[in-house]
Each structure stands twice: as structure tokens, then as C-alpha cells.
Amino acid sequence: MSATDRLLYDLTGIERQYDALLRELPGTHIRFALKACPVDEVLHSLAARGSGFDAASPAEIEQALHAGAHPDRIHYGNTVKSDHDIAEAHRLGVRTFATDSVEDVTAIAAHAPRARVFCRLATSGEGALWGLNRKFGCAPDDAVRVLDAARAAGLVPAGLSVHVGSQQMTGEAWQQALDTLAGTLTALAGRGIVIDHVNLGGGLPALGYRDRHGTPLEPPLDKIFTVLREGMERLSALAAAPLDFVLEPGRHLVADHGVIRARVVRLTERAQPDGGRARWLYLSVGKFNGLYEMDQVTHPLVFPGREAEEHVPAVVAGPTCDSDDAYGGGRHTVRVPRSVRSGDPVWILSAGAYATSYTTQGFNGIRPLPCVCTRGGEGRPGRTTLT
Ligand SMILES: *Cc1c(COP(=O)(O)O)cnc(C)c1O
């Protein structure tokens, strides 16, 4: 890492993204998923805008409270929690908990008596870059059983939730999830359980990512919003009582408003195992200090002052001694300026999601990137001279 390497957040951009999401899905309650960007200034500006938080541990709850959020706007969204964590969350004032098993319900009843619980339904994860299936959620029948058990244990069976997988690229995934929610809502009504909210989870995509070959991903955001609006209407019409809708965006609010300022380490050309030759471009930032997701997505790269020069295909990789520290697992190339030199600046765009939370402490002696929050895009590509 070079002394000038840093991760820059544009707070104004994040606030605008929050406002835009509320305009697209009016009346919804946004609970930002902290883990996508646990940076105090970012949380503070979202809380000041009225955002709540989806927290996954007592430490995240404390960070959300510290950012200025009222406990009523924080829920414990992790279905995985120890007795101690539940009691701690309750002590901190949180009264709404995600669940997906009878065992967890029993623990919540013991350590957070009379709390509100919402049951997470499983989804296939299809269409997402990171499907969050298997580990979380239950089938509709089990959800009815779990919420029934919650009621019997003195808890409030308050809602249902889904997460269709992170960077979900299809409207169909939400359509399927909404169908499952509708069926479950009806089954619950049959047992006399009337919930007050549906949590549509995270998964909304970032817009700036590219695929392994450098082609923009272009998620169908308008279609996704249409599916969500229609789905919410349908669920409201089905429900026996007014339904609130909660969203837990993570990536969508922050990804495109964080950029990494890095340096070129070196552009090389070497023989490859298949007998051919390939160029490799090593950067000062990679999988372990800000680009954890680089095997799935490629972030656009900007080499200031070299845009008009000849470009050549190169595998782009981070600086460490780990072979996974490369875009697309090191098997794909993108086009980079042929003339780049060691020490040249490079901007890595759409790098705001999951950058700090997935950073290691010192792999190969590489320290976490300093994080700088700015307003109105100061210090970003095109706005200032690079030093
Ligand atoms: C991680 C997570 C989110 C945020 O997911 P994104 O894909 O970043 O929007 C939302 N809800 C839960 C329960 C999560 O675990």
C-alpha cells in the first residue's frame, strides 16, 4: 500500500441514493444493513436522514445507536445469535429480532421476553452474484410453525422476511419471493396469526460493476422496482391488517459512492501454464485491503491522464502472495493502458460496499486502507488533481 492509498466515500452521493430509493418505493422503512459499510460518518448521515439499521450483532447495534438511531429503528437481523447476544441486544433496547428456527425462538423468549420476531423465508439465491441460500431461512410450513411457537412463548409474531441474494440481477427472484410471502401470509392467517410487516431484505444491486471481461453488468433496476411495487400492493390487499414494508439495502446505498485511490505496482508479461503469454497488472489494493469481492465483480479502473493511450489486455491483481488476490480468479483480462508505470495513480470505482468490513488486519504487512468521507465528490476522479 502506498501512503496515498485510501478509500473515499461521498456522503452526498449516499444520501441521494437513500432519497432516490424512498422515491422509488415510497412508504417503505429503510434499515441499512450495517455490514455493507460500518463507517461511522456514513451511518451518521443515514441516521440523520431517518434511516434505521439492520444489525447482526450487539457490536453493530451499539454502532447504530452511536450513529444516532433510535432502538425502535434497529432490528437484530441475524438468525444466528447466542443467548448472550440476544440478552445484550435486549439490554441495548432492541425489541425486534429475525428468526428461522424454533430453537432460536425459545432463546429469544428466554432472553428478550415479549420481543417482536419476524421469520425469514428461504430463497433460492438464483440470479444473485452471492446467493444467501442454505444457511438462512425456512420453508413456508416451517415459518408458520416457528411463528406459532413464538406466539406460544409469549413473543409477538410480527413479520416475515426474505433476502433474495446479494447483487440480485433479476426481477424474477423478487417475484418468486413475493409469491412465497403471499402464500405464507395466507397460511398464517389460517392459524390466526396476523403480522404487521414484511421485510423484503437486501439484494438491490449496485449499478457500476462490470463482469469478468470488463463489460458493464447493467442490472434491470427499473423492472426490479416495478416488481417490488406491484408485490407490495398485492400483499397489502391480501393482508387482514395494514402491512408495513421494510427494506434492508446494503450494497445498493453505498457501492457506487465509494472509490479507492490506489497505485500501480507493476505491469508485467509472463508465460502462462497453458503455454501462452499474458500481461498481469498488479495494483497496491486487492482482495485483502478493500476488494474482497474481486473474484465475482470487476470494478471500473481509471488511470488518470492515460485514457487516450493504447490499451492492452491484462489480468488485474492485488499486491499479496495469494493467487486468489486477482480479478476473476486471475483467469480473465480487462483492457489497461500499455504505458502504466509503477507508482502511477489508479482509481477503482464502485468499491464502496463491503470494502472495510472484509479488510484483513495485515496480510503480507498490508494495513487497512484509511477511510475518508467527503461531500459532493471532492477528492474523486475528475474533481481534483491526483498526487
Ligand atoms: C447482508 C444483508 C443485507 C444486505 O444485503 P445487500 O445485498 O448488501 O443489500 C440485508 N439483510 C441481511 C439479513 C443481510 O445479511
Side-chain angles (χ1 to χ4, degrees):
M1 187 182 97
S2 106
T4 56
D5 285 2
R6 55 196 179 255
L7 169 60
L8 288 139
Y9 281 102
D10 174 12
L11 297 178
T12 316
I14 292 170
E15 289 164 358
R16 285 195 190 130
Q17 189 84 19
Y18 175 88
D19 295 347
L21 181 56
L22 269 185
R23 268 198 311 276
E24 290 289 346
L25 304 173
T28 56
H29 302 271
I30 297 180
R31 306 270 183 265
F32 177 62
L34 234 76
K35 72 178 187 290
C37 184
V39 173
D40 287 336
E41 293 97 318
V42 169
L43 304 184
H44 197 272
S45 42
L46 284 171
R49 253 188 158 63
S51 180
F53 296 93
D54 164 46
S57 65
E60 282 195 352
I61 292 168
E62 282 180 334
Q63 200 181 359
L65 290 169
H66 178 70
H70 191 274
D72 285 353
R73 292 194 175 181
I74 303 170
H75 63 240
Y76 201 135
N78 194 349
T79 54
V80 184
K81 46 199 170 312
S82 67
D83 291 354
H84 176 265
D85 291 343
I86 296 166
E88 196 56 15
H90 189 254
R91 188 185 68 77
L92 291 167
V94 170
R95 295 291 178 267
T96 304
F97 294 75
T99 192
D100 64 358
S101 71
V102 172
E103 291 81 358
D104 184 58
V105 158
T106 307
I108 296 170
H111 301 283
R114 294 177 299 285
R116 295 158 47 77
V117 292
F118 61 92
C119 186
R120 180 159 170 179
L121 292 164
T123 62
S124 72
E126 269 167 46
L129 262 63
W130 297 272
L132 300 170
N133 54 348
R134 298 179 65 88
K135 183 170 175 182
F136 308 105
C138 52
D141 289 359
D142 281 332
V144 174
R145 224 165 286 138
V146 164
L147 289 180
D148 220 1
R151 179 170 59 177
L155 299 170
V156 181
L160 289 169
S161 75
V162 289
H163 194 306
V164 291
S166 203
Q167 186 73 16
Q168 174 54 254
M169 297 292 293
T170 72
E172 286 76 14
W174 267 282
Q175 190 60 61
Q176 257 182 27
L178 287 156
D179 289 347
T180 309
L181 283 164
T184 315
L185 208 62
T186 307
L188 285 171
R191 302 291 297 257
I193 296 176
V194 179
I195 60 172
D196 58 31
H197 78 284
V198 165
N199 177 334
L200 295 165
L204 288 171
L207 298 182
Y209 296 152
R210 309 228 165 134
D211 71 10
R212 291 166 176 182
H213 307 285
T215 310
L217 283 183
E218 297 183 351
L221 194 57
D222 287 341
K223 180 177 176 201
I224 289 168
F225 284 141
T226 303
V227 168
L228 286 172
R229 278 188 295 264
E230 289 174 2
M232 288 191 280
E233 257 180 51
R234 183 171 151 225
L235 291 179
S236 291
L238 257 179
L243 268 189
D244 280 333
F245 290 94
V246 172
L247 301 171
E248 300 172 337
R251 182 185 303 286
H252 182 71
L253 292 188
V254 293
D256 296 326
H257 305 287
V259 299
I260 290 173
R261 166 72 159 65
R263 295 265 178 188
V264 169
V265 173
R266 195 163 309 286
L267 179 62
T268 66
E269 190 190 313
R270 290 183 299 111
Q272 297 298 291
D274 63 9
R277 295 185 75 75
R279 288 191 180 82
W280 282 69
L281 175 65
Y282 306 108
L283 304 179
S284 59
V285 169
K287 190 175 185 72
F288 302 99
N289 60 338
L291 301 175
Y292 183 76
E293 302 185 323
M294 71 192 306
D295 42 6
Q296 293 286 350
V297 290
T298 306
H299 308 267
L301 303 176
V302 176
F303 298 88
R306 299 212 186 268
E307 292 88 344
E309 294 178 6
E310 184 197 354
H311 280 51
V312 291
V315 180
V316 176
T320 65
C321 300
D322 188 309
S323 58
D324 285 340
D325 184 10
Y327 277 106
R331 283 180 288 277
H332 305 276
T333 59
V334 296
R335 299 187 72 78
V336 305
R338 182 202 279 276
S339 57
V340 287
R341 294 283 172 270
S342 185
D344 277 2
V346 53
W347 291 97
I348 304 169
L349 309 188
S350 290
Y354 299 102
T356 59
S357 43
Y358 277 135
T359 287
T360 58
Q361 271 306 315
F363 190 76
N364 283 152
I366 293 167
R367 307 302 308 166
L369 287 177
C371 186
V372 182
C373 292
T374 67
R375 288 206 164 266
E378 303 149 45
R380 297 185 51 181
R383 289 296 182 105
T384 50
T385 34
L386 295 158
T387 50

